[in-house]
Amino acid sequence: MLFRSLADASVRRATIADHAQLCSLHAHKPTAIKRDLRTMSGLLTTPAMATFVLERSGSLAAYACIGKGADLQSWWHECGGDDHSVSLLLPAAMAALDLESAFVLVPPYRPALMELLAPITHLSTTVAGPMALPLIPHAVARSEEHTS
């Protein structure tokens, strides 16, 4: 099974107290726009955007942002942390938002994340720049029910 249990982690909405750790996670991306804490905080407090974090042992292991203006509603457009943690975070955050489906922009330098998300990916396409993956977490549960 590709997805590890959330037993050792928790998923919640980010708070202002998380911004420094989120800025650090962002800074560790191999390719990214450089952001200082003030700039990162500005992004994370954008109206109509939600940021979720996966926390493990008191530290943030991953984050993901959804929504931002009219054009990125239902799009996970920013994420940071290791691929496995992000793959756990996205379906849990979607459940918290009561979303049955969404899209995720996966940077080309994250092929492992694309593979980890494959079980909940309905359709994928490569575009100039990031890759868009429509996620349907409930599809995994339905497919597991039919194989049991």
Side-chain angles (χ1 to χ4, degrees):
M1 184 172 195
L2 290 174
F3 290 91
R4 182 177 60 197
S5 166
L6 281 173
D8 67 337
S10 62
V11 171
R12 61 175 173 78
R13 282 188 182 256
T15 67
I16 291 173
D18 298 323
H19 288 191
Q21 284 188 71
L22 296 176
C23 192
S24 177
L25 284 171
H26 174 75
H28 284 89
K29 295 178 184 178
T31 304
I33 296 170
K34 290 189 179 188
R35 295 184 182 133
D36 61 15
L37 181 55
R38 180 178 176 177
T39 303
M40 189 74 175
S41 289
L43 168 72
L44 295 169
T45 56
T46 299
M49 186 175 85
T51 301
F52 282 82
V53 297
L54 183 133
E55 188 171 21
R56 198 176 275 124
S57 302
S59 294
L60 301 185
Y63 74 94
C65 304
I66 189 170
K68 183 179 171 190
D71 58 339
L72 289 175
Q73 296 305 307
S74 297
W75 283 83
W76 294 100
H77 56 84
E78 166 106 15
C79 63
D82 67 272
D83 293 332
H84 197 267
S85 294
V86 173
S87 74
L88 291 172
L89 170 60
L90 290 174
M94 287 176 65
L97 291 169
D98 201 27
L99 289 175
E100 291 188 19
S101 66
F103 296 91
V104 61
L105 296 175
V106 179
Y109 63 83
R110 297 193 87 158
L113 179 57
M114 287 185 261
E115 184 179 323
L116 287 165
L117 292 174
I120 61 169
T121 300
H122 173 66
L123 174 70
S124 68
T125 185
T126 302
V127 297
M131 179 177 202
L133 299 176
L135 302 180
I136 305 176
H138 303 295
V140 172
R142 284 193 297 269
S143 68
E144 288 176 354
E145 289 172 6
H146 294 295
T147 59
S148 299

